Amino acid sequence: MSDSTRWEDAWALDLPGETAEQILFGLVLKDLAHGTSFDVEFGEDGPVLEVDFVCGDELEGTTYRLLLVAEVAGPEERDLLTEFAEEALGEMAATAQEAVDGAELLDEAVLDAIEVRAVPEDEERWDLVCPDWLAPDGAEVPFGFRPFRKTDGSPWPSDEMLGRFSRVVVVPTERGYRLYGVNLPSEEEPAED
């Protein structure tokens, strides 16, 4: 398709963000949506849209805000895109809830015990989910930063811990951070050693 048929649309989805479990749900939903691609055909003779989702997030008070951008190739059909995005997000939300229902609390740390640092590309972990608002200046979002223990500089979570789950999610709390292990229903669980 030519460049003239490329366009974008964006939405902000406000979700409850008062508890660690609510933020966990939002982060898993963001992880499921970010980077997904769809070829959407509307009816037999309807338009075809190539849709790529890119996500970000922020926390404002007790509201977790999922920022969703659709990068689209195809005719500018905003109403059809919105209808598709709502349906796709609804399916992803059901998957996210299933994953959150089976989440395992792995560890907790007080705020002063953890430092979030930018990491080079070869140390990025796609299976580590962190809120965008924790990214230090200059870090690539969503994978170019990672929490470390201040006491010894070791990664938190460890690579071993990351290997046990589809995703390990860092959830900020009032007093610090929680780590949750999550297995996504759409992915096979990692093999145990």
Side-chain angles (χ1 to χ4, degrees):
M1 297 189 181
S2 70
D3 288 341
S4 63
T5 61
R6 297 198 72 77
W7 52 284
E8 288 186 355
D9 209 344
W11 306 270
L13 180 62
D14 287 349
L15 301 169
E18 193 167 354
T19 67
E21 291 75 18
Q22 290 170 338
I23 295 172
L24 174 62
F25 171 80
L27 289 167
V28 172
L29 180 57
K30 178 188 84 163
D31 182 69
L32 287 169
H34 182 77
T36 57
S37 297
F38 301 91
D39 291 329
V40 187
E41 190 171 335
F42 294 94
E44 208 171 292
D45 298 319
V48 176
L49 302 179
E50 296 171 16
V51 181
D52 297 311
F53 287 131
V54 179
C55 297
D57 62 5
E58 57 191 27
L59 189 66
E60 189 174 304
T62 58
T63 300
Y64 175 88
R65 183 166 294 127
L66 176 64
L67 308 169
L68 181 71
V69 176
E71 299 171 345
V72 184
E76 195 165 328
E77 295 281 355
R78 292 188 185 275
D79 290 344
L80 291 177
L81 175 66
T82 298
E83 181 182 313
F84 167 73
E86 288 174 355
E87 181 181 316
L89 270 178
E91 291 173 9
M92 290 179 209
T95 301
Q97 189 60 60
E98 186 177 341
V100 167
D101 289 345
E104 181 180 332
L105 178 61
L106 304 175
D107 200 2
E108 293 185 73
V110 296
L111 198 59
D112 291 341
I114 301 298
E115 174 184 31
V116 181
R117 295 185 284 198
V119 295
E121 189 174 352
D122 63 341
E123 293 179 27
E124 292 179 358
R125 294 295 302 246
W126 58 267
D127 49 356
L128 174 63
V129 180
C130 292
D132 291 354
W133 67 85
L134 294 182
D137 289 341
E140 289 292 321
V141 175
F143 305 116
F145 60 101
R146 185 171 181 177
F148 293 85
R149 292 183 187 277
K150 286 184 179 178
T151 54
D152 61 6
S154 64
W156 187 79
S158 66
D159 289 343
E160 183 275 332
M161 193 179 286
L162 285 166
R164 293 179 33 220
F165 297 91
S166 300
R167 303 289 187 279
V168 173
V169 185
V170 178
V171 178
T173 66
E174 283 186 16
R175 292 188 294 256
Y177 305 98
R178 290 184 184 175
L179 291 180
Y180 289 92
V182 173
N183 284 313
L184 300 177
S186 59
E187 297 179 2
E188 290 187 22
E189 293 183 18
E192 293 188 20
D193 296 324

